[in-house]
Amino acid sequence: MERTFIGAGLLSGLVAGIVSFIFARIFIEPRVTEAIDYEDIRSHAESELAGGAHDHGHELFSRSVQENIGAGVGTVVFAVAIGALFAVAFTVAWAIIGRRRPEADPRTLAASLGGVAFVAVIGVPFFVYPPNPPAVGEEDTIGARSGAYLTLTLVSIVLAVAAVVLAIWLSDRIGGLWAGASAAVAYLVGVTITSALLPSFHEVPGPVMDGERIVAPGFPGQVIADYRVYAIAHQVLLWVVLTVVFVGLVGLMMRRTALARRTESVPA
C-alpha cells in the first residue's frame, strides 16, 4: 500500500506540475521579462554615469529556452518531488490516524494534509518573505535572505507537525473542534514569534539619479504586485491540483479494495 501511495503522489505531482507550468508560462513569465527589461535599462544608465560601456554579458541559454524548457522542467521536477514528499507524509499520517480512528476517511485526511502543508510550506513563508522578480534585491543580501526564508520554512513545518500532534492529543479530551482551534492558535503564535525574530528586507530599487535628474526610473511597483499575485496563485493552483488528484486516486484505491473484498467474500 505504501508503494501505491508513493505512486499516487508522483502522478499527482506530475499532473500538478504540468498545469502549474502552463499557468506560469502565461502569467508569470511576462512579468519576469518586464523585470529583465528594467534591469537592462538600469544597468545601462548606471554604466553611463560611471563613464563605462554597458556590458550585456553572454547568456548560456537564450531567454526562450529559459522560459520554456528550463521553467517547464524545473516546475515539473519540483512538483513531482513535492508529490513524493506529500505521499510520504500522508502514509505516515494515515498509519497513525487509521490505527487510532478506523472509521476515518483517508480522502479527508489527504485533503486536510494538503491544506496544512500549503500553509506551512508556502503560505507563511510567502506572507513574511514574498518573492520578488529579477532586479529586486541586493546581491550582498542573497545569502541572508535565503537563510531567513529557509529558517522560517523549516520552523513553520516543525510547528505545523507539532500542532497536528497537539490536535490529535487534545481531540479525545476537549473535542475535535476545540483541539483544532487550540493547535492553530499555538502554530500562529509560534510562527509570529519566529517572524519577528528574523530580519526583514526592503530592497526595491529606487530611481538612478544624476544630481537632480532622474536617469532611470525606480522599479515599477505594479510589476512587483502582479508578480507576487501570480506567484501565490501559481502555488495555490499547484497544491490544489496535487491534492485533488491525490484524493481522487486514493478514492479509486478504496473502491478497488472494497471490490476485491466483496469478491473474496463471495463463496465459490
Side-chain angles (χ1 to χ4, degrees), residues 46 79 110 198 210 244:
E46 291 175 342
L198 290 172
D210 182 11
V244 169

Side-chain angles (χ1 to χ4, degrees), residues 31 34 133 204 218-230:
R31 309 290 84 77
E34 292 174 353
V204 178
F219 195 94
Q222 190 60 50
V223 174
I224 297 178
D226 291 344
Y227 180 86
R228 290 176 176 176
V229 169
Y230 290 135

Side-chain angles (χ1 to χ4, degrees), residues 134-168:
V136 177
E138 300 290 339
E139 292 184 2
D140 295 339
T141 63
I142 291 178
R145 284 185 279 125
S146 300
Y149 184 90
L150 179 60
T151 298
L152 179 60
T153 302
L154 293 176
V155 171
S156 177
I157 293 172
V158 171
L159 290 176
V161 172
V164 171
V165 173
L166 177 63
I168 294 174

Side-chain angles (χ1 to χ4, degrees), residues 49-66:
L49 287 179
H54 176 48
D55 182 14
H56 291 277
H58 175 70
E59 293 182 340
L60 182 60
F61 298 103
S62 67
R63 178 68 186 135
S64 177
V65 172
Q66 292 175 17

Side-chain angles (χ1 to χ4, degrees), residues 128-129 143-149 151-152 194-202:
V128 179
Y129 295 116
R145 284 185 279 125
S146 300
Y149 184 90
T151 298
L152 179 60
T194 303
S195 302
L197 295 176
L198 290 172
S200 59
F201 303 94
H202 304 283

